[in-house]
Amino acid sequence: MGAERPANHGQSTHGLRGDYSRMRPDYTIEQDHGSYSAAEHERWRRLYDRQIGLVPGRACAEYERALRSLDEYEAGIPRFEDVNAKLGRATGWTLVAVPGLVPDLAFFDHLANRRFPVTRWIREESELDYIVEPDVFHDFFGHVPMLFDPVFADFMQAYGRGGLKAEGLGALAWLARLYWYTVEFGLVRTAAGLRVYGAGILSSPGEVDHSLRSPRPRRVAFDLRRVMRSLYRIDTFQETYFVIESFAQLFDATRPDFTALYAEMRGLADVPADAALPGDRLVA
Ligand code: PHE
Ligand code: CO
C-alpha cells in the first residue's frame, strides 16, 4: 500500500472493491436496500453502538447535534431516501449511492452540485477496527452528520468546485491533502476543549481517543500551506492532526483563488507525515 492516497479521489477505480458493473455514467447506483443481509444490518448496528458511545465530549457540537437527529441510523444500514429527506431540508445536500471510490472528476462534480457519494457496501467482520477504503459505515457515520452544518456544507461544495479547477492546474495532490487533514482527520478547538470533526476519526473506534488524548501525534494549528505540503499515511493512525478554530476559519482560509497558491506550492518541498517544522504552532 502506498504511503499516500487521497481520501476519496486521486486514483482510478481500477482494482477497487465494489460492484462497478451497473452504474450510471456519473458512477451512481441504486442502493437496493432490500438486498443487504440480516448479518450486514447487524454488523452496522454493532459498529454504530460502539461508535456512538465515543461521540459525547469528543465530537464537535455540530456533528453531535446532527447525529442525534438521525434516528434512521439505529435499526441497521439506513435508507438513502430517509436520510435525504432530512438532509435536503437542512442544507440542500443529497446523498447518492456509489459502488465505492469514484474517479476525481466524478467525485468533484458531485460535491460541486451538493451531492455526496456514499459507498454501498459494508466492511467485513475482519475489518471492524480499521479499513483503508471508505464503506457505508464510514460515509454515513463519519461524513453525513457534518453535511447538516450550513458552513461545512458550503465548504464541501467549494471544495468540489476547487477540485475541478485543481485538476486542470495539475494541483490535485495539494488539494487532496487539504481534504485529508480537514474533512477526514480534522480537529477543532472549542471553548470546551479539542473536538473531532474529521470523518476518518469519527468512524474509527481507536482513533477518536488517539487523536484527542494520545501524547504521540502532533496537533498543529491549521495553516493552509503547511497542510498542503504534508504527506499522509492511510494505513495507521495519523501522526499529525491540524486544528482549526472554527468552520468559518476553514471556509475563509480556502475561499481565495488557489491558482497563485499552487504556483507557490511548486517551490515548497513535501514534508513527511510526522514532520516537526520550525513554524508549527502546537495546540495543547
Ligand atoms: N478557493 C479554492 C480555489 O480557488 C477552492 C477551494 C475551496 C478549495 C474550498 C478547497 C476548499 O481553488
Ligand atoms: Co471519507
Side-chain angles (χ1 to χ4, degrees):
M1 194 80 48
E4 177 163 9
R5 195 178 69 178
N8 263 308
H9 50 88
Q11 64 164 45
S12 80
T13 52
H14 188 75
L16 293 173
R17 281 165 74 166
D19 177 4
Y20 290 82
S21 67
R22 270 184 296 264
M23 65 194 182
R24 307 178 187 101
D26 68 354
Y27 281 80
T28 61
I29 55 173
E30 289 299 319
Q31 182 186 20
D32 192 12
H33 191 266
S35 70
Y36 290 117
S37 68
E40 287 179 318
H41 285 298
E42 198 270 329
R43 196 175 308 144
W44 165 283
R45 283 195 296 273
R46 264 184 291 138
L47 287 163
Y48 175 81
D49 288 345
R50 172 170 72 172
Q51 210 61 24
I52 198 159
L54 296 174
V55 167
R58 300 188 184 88
C60 68
E62 292 83 352
Y63 175 91
E64 188 173 357
R65 197 178 314 120
L67 185 68
R68 256 191 278 112
S69 77
L70 286 166
D71 42 9
E72 294 80 7
Y73 282 19
E74 285 161 23
I77 300 169
R79 283 178 205 278
F80 285 51
E81 308 93 91
D82 295 346
V83 179
N84 274 336
K86 286 183 176 172
L87 183 58
R89 279 196 297 275
T91 57
W93 275 72
T94 307
L95 308 178
V96 291
V98 290
L101 289 168
V102 304
D104 298 332
L105 287 180
F107 180 68
F108 296 141
D109 187 64
H110 282 305
L111 296 189
N113 290 286
R114 292 174 97 84
R115 292 188 301 263
F116 191 77
V118 171
T119 303
R120 187 195 174 278
W121 58 266
I122 187 162
R123 67 193 70 184
E124 301 295 330
E125 280 300 321
S126 59
E127 302 170 306
L128 290 191
D129 292 340
Y130 198 92
I131 53 167
V132 297
E133 273 178 77
D135 73 337
V136 67
F137 183 75
H138 166 80
D139 284 336
F140 260 129
F141 195 89
H143 287 287
V144 169
M146 289 306 300
L147 294 172
F148 281 77
D149 179 70
V151 178
F152 196 81
D154 285 351
F155 169 74
M156 291 292 280
Q157 178 175 28
Y159 184 90
R161 291 180 175 147
L164 295 170
K165 181 160 91 189
E167 171 91 14
L169 295 170
L172 276 193
W174 296 307
L175 199 67
R177 292 175 194 154
L178 174 64
Y179 191 92
W180 186 265
Y181 282 115
T182 60
V183 178
E184 294 292 352
F185 291 97
L187 300 180
V188 55
R189 202 165 67 92
T190 77
L194 279 187
R195 292 289 184 271
V196 180
Y197 71 92
I201 304 176
L202 289 165
S203 63
S204 158
E207 193 149 357
V208 174
D209 274 324
H210 172 85
S211 69
L212 293 174
R213 315 211 200 287
S214 166
R216 277 192 294 131
R218 294 167 52 77
R219 299 177 189 85
V220 180
F222 178 84
D223 173 271
L224 188 55
R225 286 165 184 76
R226 172 66 165 91
V227 169
M228 285 194 172
R229 35 188 323 209
S230 301
L231 300 169
Y232 59 80
R233 300 185 53 176
I234 68 159
D235 55 344
T236 178
F237 291 165
Q238 300 301 301
E239 297 165 303
T240 301
Y241 298 95
F242 289 96
V243 184
I244 60 171
E245 296 291 317
S246 65
F247 297 112
Q249 178 205 15
L250 180 60
F251 190 77
D252 291 344
T254 52
R255 192 201 304 266
D257 184 344
F258 282 1
T259 308
L261 175 62
Y262 294 143
E264 195 186 318
M265 294 309 298
R266 283 176 222 287
L268 284 179
D270 293 346
V271 300
D274 63 350
L277 300 193
D280 287 353
R281 196 157 53 78
L282 296 182
V283 180

